Amino acid sequence: MDLENIEWLFFDLGYTLINEDNAHRKRINDCITYQQENYGKLFTYEQVYNEICRASSEYRQQFYGAMESLGIKEKTPYPKELEFPFNDAEKVLKELNNKYSIGIIANQSAGAQGRLKNFGLNDYIDLCISSAELGIAKPDIKIFKLALKRACCSAGNSVMIGDRLDNDIFPAKQLGMKTIHVKQGFGAYQAPVSEEYKADITVNNLTELLKYL
């Protein structure tokens, strides 16, 4: 991948910069408890977790897709307060921000920039595009186009970095952006279904980005 003319790096948040393990663990356990107490249905943690992984691998909604497969109608709330940055997130962003402008394109609830500030990451972010504020969510390419427009950057001079092939890599490639798949979280179970879903570069964590950027 030719990175000579890259000006902007755009990151996803969940399972890219932000570790959601604790939040998903509590959500799954809350779901299991609720089903048992209210319906007498017994699910194991492994059963629900594996179904989420399967939903992701099939390019379906992860939690909600798993709930549908398991016959669970209630949508247990997601405890966003349990999220935290990956250990290498600040170090990597700080180093990359010396060379590139940094943007966020994420499907997030309102207040994403405030959460980035609380995480100590906002100083390295030049632009934050959140689905809740815009009413547009990935994989709709409109949210990517808007980010590029606000950044005054062409698609060919940008890189999209995310954990999901369906939400991050595929739509970004449609616009001509360079792409990097970070295999963290449930998105790690996704494999490209065609060349259009194949990232230019695949890494296992944020630190590995520094080998290429």
Side-chain angles (χ1 to χ4, degrees), residues 27-41 43 48 52 62-78:
R27 191 184 202 185
I28 291 171
N29 283 324
D30 286 349
C31 173
I32 291 169
T33 299
Y34 187 89
Q35 293 303 308
Q36 183 174 358
E37 291 180 348
N38 290 275
Y39 302 107
K41 293 183 177 180
F43 296 97
V48 178
I52 295 174
Q62 295 173 349
F63 185 80
Y64 295 135
M67 296 303 98
E68 182 178 1
S69 297
L70 294 170
I72 297 174
K73 294 183 180 181
E74 286 73 17
K75 311 303 184 188
T76 309
Y78 176 78

Side-chain angles (χ1 to χ4, degrees), residues 4 31 36 56 59 77 85 99 129 145 150 185 191 195 199 205:
E4 185 177 348
C31 173
Q36 183 174 358
S56 180
Y59 287 38
K99 300 167 61 179
I129 301 293
K145 286 182 175 179
R150 290 191 180 178
E195 194 66 25
N205 53 62

Side-chain angles (χ1 to χ4, degrees), residues 92-203:
V92 170
L93 285 177
K94 184 177 182 180
E95 185 162 341
L96 292 176
N97 199 214
N98 289 326
K99 300 167 61 179
Y100 309 97
S101 295
I102 305 291
I104 300 295
I105 305 176
N107 288 350
Q108 288 283 313
S109 57
Q113 192 146 18
R115 291 192 291 278
L116 285 168
K117 185 175 182 180
N118 292 337
F119 292 145
L121 302 179
N122 197 52
D123 289 346
Y124 313 109
I125 306 299
D126 300 291
L127 176 66
C128 183
I129 301 293
S130 171
S131 60
E133 275 99 28
L134 297 176
I136 310 169
K138 297 184 298 184
D140 192 330
I141 62 172
K142 291 178 183 177
I143 195 170
F144 294 86
K145 286 182 175 179
L146 181 58
L148 291 169
K149 182 178 180 180
R150 290 191 180 178
C152 298
C153 180
S154 67
N157 293 335
S158 67
V159 180
M160 180 64 203
I161 302 165
D163 65 305
R164 293 184 58 167
L165 300 181
D166 52 351
N167 274 8
D168 301 311
I169 305 306
F170 175 75
K173 289 191 72 171
Q174 302 310 296
L175 295 176
M177 300 173 73
K178 305 296 191 299
T179 56
I180 300 179
H181 182 209
V182 185
K183 296 188 73 172
Q184 299 180 144
F186 299 114
Y189 294 93
Q190 293 185 330
V193 294
S194 69
E195 194 66 25
E196 294 174 310
Y197 286 84
K198 187 176 181 180
D200 295 300
I201 294 172
T202 299
V203 298

Side-chain angles (χ1 to χ4, degrees), residues 13-60:
L13 283 181
Y15 274 135
T16 301
L17 293 175
I18 304 303
N19 190 324
E20 299 178 326
D21 283 349
N22 289 345
H24 282 294
R25 189 175 297 113
K26 185 177 190 304
R27 191 184 202 185
I28 291 171
N29 283 324
D30 286 349
C31 173
I32 291 169
T33 299
Y34 187 89
Q35 293 303 308
Q36 183 174 358
E37 291 180 348
N38 290 275
Y39 302 107
K41 293 183 177 180
L42 300 179
F43 296 97
T44 66
Y45 183 92
E46 290 74 18
Q47 183 180 10
V48 178
Y49 182 90
N50 290 338
E51 196 59 41
I52 295 174
C53 294
R54 186 164 75 91
S56 180
S57 72
E58 295 173 353
Y59 287 38
R60 295 185 287 123

Side-chain angles (χ1 to χ4, degrees), residues 1-7 100 157 178:
M1 182 173 74
D2 182 12
L3 298 173
E4 185 177 348
N5 297 315
I6 296 301
E7 300 170 359
Y100 309 97
N157 293 335
K178 305 296 191 299

